[in-house]
């Protein structure tokens, strides 16, 4: 590939990326204007909350419980090596879960489980002209699908994160007590002494932003799907990959922002 | 009445419509013929605002529809019903919910009246006892009839059919054709059908238009169209007749 082709290819990629960002921003603008108006189908919001939140509880419980246990196990082993005794296990598990692992792990699980399903569903509706049919029947994809999905995801991801925090800390408690004979009261006392409510809010703010990223990427990729069944598969894969990348990148900048606001 | 003037549309950099000029008269059944990929469906979608024309004018009942804002466009779209090629029924909703969908949003009927109308419209398209079924359990012919019921349920002035008989056996095609003619009489609507099925076009149309190279090559009554001197029209008819015979 010569220099000219490389530049053309880069220009084309940049244009496509900017068009996608512009398109996604326009979709978010339309949904933001509709979100405070009378919902198209109020029952849809509840339905999506069950789909995004309630149905994700088992996988969130499983992943956060074992993550908490592994955290306690590794931190216990490390502190025995360094200090000859398992110390600060409660605070280490709690801070790790509440500030980072709870929000990020939950967001990753939701991006894979719910984000993929949102893109597959809306993408299938796009290629089978169901989204076009919505315009002809007095509504729009943003109003009928976008609004309930945005409300459900932005509310349910922080709730799932809170559950993940609690379950992860509980997992850490069980690992600390059973593997290292740490008294339960010591583990809990460390958490109560050092963990502040502001830390929990820090994680919940992040998770709300992650929820916004997941639903924006998933809806946009679904609404702009083309190319039949193959196109739906491609959109779904991209939605999950992009969501995860944006979650990880935004996590760093959000952490910096929240730190600068004194929320740590 | 719909007046289309000098309509241009490109998709992915490829010109599809190259200056379409046509009038769609009130109460008629106009069939748009043309080979695959000539832009028949694109033409329909431009009229109903699902695609934005690159340039040109579309006047619907005297109102210029090109360049309207979303709210004004929605008011124009409410005048149309569209029967999509694959039916475009909402997979997660039952047949009854599909038919009621537009009525719930575009009419002021009470839920009881809507339920009654759902049954009426389904029997109008000769479907009974399917209210609680999901679209996946219906045949393609039944899906198109449910889609038709859903379209007429919003009491539109214009109904557009996108390839309504493609993929159907001759008997079901005949049933669908009779249904169109029956509804046309009962509902006093204007219909535009896009197809490449010439026998169906001859059977139900008042006028036929043929799209070639993004323009209207010919538009005339069925009788005049059959006897057209236009070379492309003659070729199109001859090739289709030969294909049907083999």
């Amino acid at each position: 590939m010569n220099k000219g082709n490389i530049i053309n290819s880069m220009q084309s990629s940049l244009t496509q990326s900017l068009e996608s960002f512009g398109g996604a921003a326009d979709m978010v603008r339309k949904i933001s204007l509709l979100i405070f108006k009378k919902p198209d189908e109020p029952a849809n919001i509840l339905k999506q909350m069950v789909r995004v939140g309630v149905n994700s509880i088992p996988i969130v419980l499983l992943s956060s419980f074992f993550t908490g246990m592994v955290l306690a196990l590794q931190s216990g082993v490390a502190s025995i090596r360094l200090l000859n005794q398992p110390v600060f296990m409660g605070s280490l598990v709690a801070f790790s879960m509440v500030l980072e692992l709870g929000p990020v792990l939950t967001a990753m699980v939701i991006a894979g489980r719910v984000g993929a399903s949102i893109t597959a569903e809306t993408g299938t509706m796009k290629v089978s002209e169901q989204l076009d049919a919505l315009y002809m029947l007095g509504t729009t994809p943003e109003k009928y699908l976008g609004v309930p999905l945005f409300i459900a995801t932005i509310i349910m991801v922080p709730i799932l994160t809170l559950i993940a925090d609690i379950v992860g800390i509980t997992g850490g408690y069980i690992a600390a007590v059973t593997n290292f004979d740490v008294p339960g009261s010591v583990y809990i006392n460390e958490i109560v002494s050092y963990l502040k409510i502001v830390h929990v809010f820090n994680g919940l703010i992040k998770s709300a932003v992650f929820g916004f990223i997941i639903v924006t990427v998933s809806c946009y990729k679904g609404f702009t799907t083309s190319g039949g069944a193959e196109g739906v598969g491609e959109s779904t894969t991209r939605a999950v990959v992009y969501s995860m990348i944006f979650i990880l990148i935004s996590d760093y900048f959000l952490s910096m922002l929240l730190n600068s606001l004194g929320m740590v | 009445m719909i007046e289309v003037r000098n309509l241009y549309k490109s998709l992915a950099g490829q010109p599809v419509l190259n200056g379409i000029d046509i009038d769609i008269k009130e109460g008629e059944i106009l069939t748009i013929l043309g080979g695959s990929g000539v832009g028949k469906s694109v033409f329909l979608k431009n009229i109903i605002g699902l695609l934005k024309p690159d340039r040109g004018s579309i006047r619907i009942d005297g109102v210029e529809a090109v360049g309207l804002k979303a709210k004004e466009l929605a008011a124009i779209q409410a005048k149309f019903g569209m029967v999509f090629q694959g039916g475009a029924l909402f997979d997660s909703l039952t047949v009854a919910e599909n038919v009621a969908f537009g009525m719930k949003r575009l009419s002021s009927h009470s839920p009881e009246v809507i339920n009654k109308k759902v049954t009426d419209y389904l029997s109008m398209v000769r479907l009974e006892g399917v209210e609680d079924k999901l679209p996946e359990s219906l045949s393609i012919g039944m899906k198109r009839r449910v889609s038709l019921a859903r379209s007429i349920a919003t009491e539109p002035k214009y109904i557009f059919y996108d390839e309504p008989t493609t993929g159907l056996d001759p008997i079901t095609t005949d049933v669908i054709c009779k249904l169109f003619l029956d509804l046309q009489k009962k509902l006093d609507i204007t219909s535009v059908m896009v197809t490449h099925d010439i026998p169906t076009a001859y059977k139900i149309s008042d006028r036929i238009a043929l799209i070639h190279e993004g323009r209207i090559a010919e538009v005339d009554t069925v009788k005049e169209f059959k006897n057209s001197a236009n070379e492309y029209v003659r070729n199109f008819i001859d090739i289709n007749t030969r294909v049907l015979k083999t």
Side-chain angles (χ1 to χ4, degrees):
Chain A
M1 193 184 272
N2 64 32
K3 200 176 163 185
N5 283 346
I6 292 170
I7 291 171
N8 281 345
S9 164
M10 283 171 71
Q11 270 180 343
S12 159
S13 299
L14 185 68
T15 310
Q16 271 183 2
S17 302
L18 289 174
E19 275 175 5
S20 295
F21 273 109
D26 188 46
M27 181 196 75
V28 170
R29 180 190 65 82
K30 283 179 186 165
I31 291 172
S32 310
L33 292 174
L34 292 165
I35 224 158
F36 299 106
K37 291 187 178 169
K38 191 183 163 220
D40 186 273
E41 189 94 47
N44 264 358
I45 298 174
L46 200 65
K47 195 174 142 192
Q48 295 301 345
M49 284 173 112
V50 171
R51 176 195 187 182
V52 176
V54 178
N55 294 349
S56 300
I57 288 176
I59 184 76
V60 169
L61 290 181
L62 192 77
S63 57
S64 56
F65 183 74
F66 283 100
T67 302
M69 286 185 93
V70 168
L71 261 179
L73 195 68
Q74 299 286 25
S75 61
V77 170
S79 72
I80 287 171
R81 274 192 201 139
L82 290 169
L83 307 164
N84 290 323
Q85 55 180 329
V87 289
F88 301 124
M89 285 176 70
S91 51
L92 198 142
V93 171
F95 272 96
S96 304
M97 284 306 300
V98 165
L99 289 174
E100 283 304 321
L101 288 173
V104 174
L105 200 67
T106 305
M108 292 293 183
V109 167
I110 299 300
R113 208 196 80 85
V114 179
S117 113
I118 291 172
T119 308
E121 185 189 350
T122 51
T124 305
M125 290 181 78
K126 173 74 174 19
V127 298
S128 60
E129 296 181 307
Q130 291 176 53
L131 296 189
D132 285 343
L134 288 174
Y135 289 104
M136 305 310 299
L137 296 166
T139 184
T140 64
E142 289 85 5
K143 193 174 182 187
Y144 183 68
L145 298 164
V147 169
L149 284 168
F150 267 68
I151 293 174
T153 312
I154 294 170
I155 290 176
M156 294 315 286
V157 174
I159 292 175
L160 288 170
T161 301
L162 198 59
I163 294 171
D165 292 346
I166 295 165
V167 173
I169 291 169
T170 309
Y173 175 92
I174 293 167
V177 171
T178 55
N179 291 313
F180 301 99
D181 296 326
V182 173
S185 58
V186 172
Y187 182 91
I188 292 167
N189 197 35
E190 275 181 11
I191 298 172
V192 174
S193 305
Y194 298 111
L195 194 71
K196 301 280 182 287
I197 194 76
V198 74
H199 299 130
V200 179
F201 277 115
N202 180 317
L204 295 183
I205 290 169
K206 277 185 184 179
S207 66
V209 176
F210 297 158
F212 172 78
I213 289 171
I214 294 166
V215 72
T216 302
V217 173
S218 308
C219 281
Y220 180 70
K221 292 309 288 180
F223 288 172
T224 54
T225 296
S226 60
E230 196 183 341
V232 174
E234 197 178 308
S235 288
T236 306
T237 307
R238 285 187 181 199
V240 175
V241 172
Y242 291 163
S243 293
M244 288 182 173
I245 291 171
F246 289 136
I247 286 165
L248 293 173
I249 294 171
S250 65
D251 186 35
Y252 174 74
F253 291 104
L254 275 171
S255 298
M256 282 211 315
L257 177 72
L258 293 169
N259 288 356
S260 70
L261 294 173
M263 291 187 76
V264 279
Chain B
M1 183 170 174
I2 301 171
E3 299 151 273
V4 180
R5 295 286 175 274
N6 214 20
L7 188 70
Y8 283 80
K9 179 69 186 172
S10 297
L11 291 175
Q14 294 294 315
V16 180
L17 305 180
N18 279 321
I20 295 252
D21 283 297
I22 195 167
D23 288 340
I24 300 165
K25 298 171 189 169
E26 293 210 356
E28 73 170 343
I29 300 182
L30 172 72
T31 297
I32 312 282
L33 282 177
S36 298
V38 297
K40 303 186 296 290
S41 302
V42 171
F43 171 64
L44 289 193
K45 287 185 177 182
N46 271 273
I47 295 179
I48 55 180
L50 293 176
L51 289 174
K52 207 172 161 186
D54 295 339
R55 63 191 159 101
S57 162
I58 300 166
R59 291 182 75 80
I60 296 161
D61 298 332
V63 177
E64 178 58 56
V66 177
L68 286 181
K69 288 182 179 165
K71 206 173 177 182
E72 298 156 334
L73 186 63
I76 293 274
Q77 281 171 333
K79 292 185 176 194
F80 290 88
M82 174 93 178
V83 180
F84 291 92
Q85 198 173 345
L89 299 177
F90 303 124
D91 302 326
S92 56
L93 304 183
T94 63
V95 166
E97 287 167 336
N98 264 285
V99 178
F101 196 95
M103 276 193 280
K104 279 165 77 176
R105 287 158 180 86
L106 294 168
S107 77
S108 51
H109 299 313
S110 67
E112 294 74 28
V113 173
I114 288 176
N115 285 342
K116 168 81 175 56
K117 279 181 174 279
V118 165
T119 313
D120 292 347
Y121 283 117
L122 282 172
S123 68
M124 213 181 267
V125 296
R126 292 161 209 164
L127 281 174
E128 271 144 25
V130 296
E131 284 87 341
D132 298 327
K133 289 191 173 177
L134 286 170
E136 65 180 9
S137 63
L138 305 178
S139 69
I140 183 70
M142 288 168 91
K143 278 183 189 170
R144 294 216 179 122
R145 280 187 278 164
V146 174
S147 183
L148 180 55
R150 186 176 70 177
S151 300
I152 58 176
T154 58
E155 295 171 7
K157 186 174 176 186
Y158 304 98
I159 291 202
F160 286 6
Y161 304 94
D162 190 3
E163 307 269 10
T165 56
T166 302
L168 298 182
D169 62 84
I171 295 166
T172 314
T173 300
D174 195 51
V175 169
I176 294 271
C177 288
K178 282 179 182 156
L179 195 58
F180 289 168
L181 291 169
D182 192 28
L183 289 175
Q184 189 77 10
K185 275 185 204 158
K186 276 185 191 164
L187 301 174
D188 188 26
I189 48 178
T190 303
S191 300
V192 180
M193 177 176 73
V194 148
T195 187
H196 52 252
D197 176 3
I198 290 189
T200 299
Y202 286 168
K203 208 176 286 177
I204 69 167
S205 312
D206 293 312
R207 288 194 306 151
I208 297 176
L210 181 70
I211 295 186
H212 177 53
E213 292 178 345
R215 292 192 186 87
I216 300 288
E218 177 90 16
V219 54
D220 227 322
T221 60
V222 175
K223 194 178 169 191
E224 295 296 322
F225 187 84
K226 282 179 179 173
N227 300 318
S228 173
N230 183 314
E231 195 185 341
Y232 181 75
V233 176
R234 291 255 43 90
N235 273 338
F236 187 84
I237 295 171
D238 289 346
I239 291 168
N240 271 277
T241 312
R242 278 206 300 275
V243 169
L244 284 172
K245 277 181 184 168
T246 54

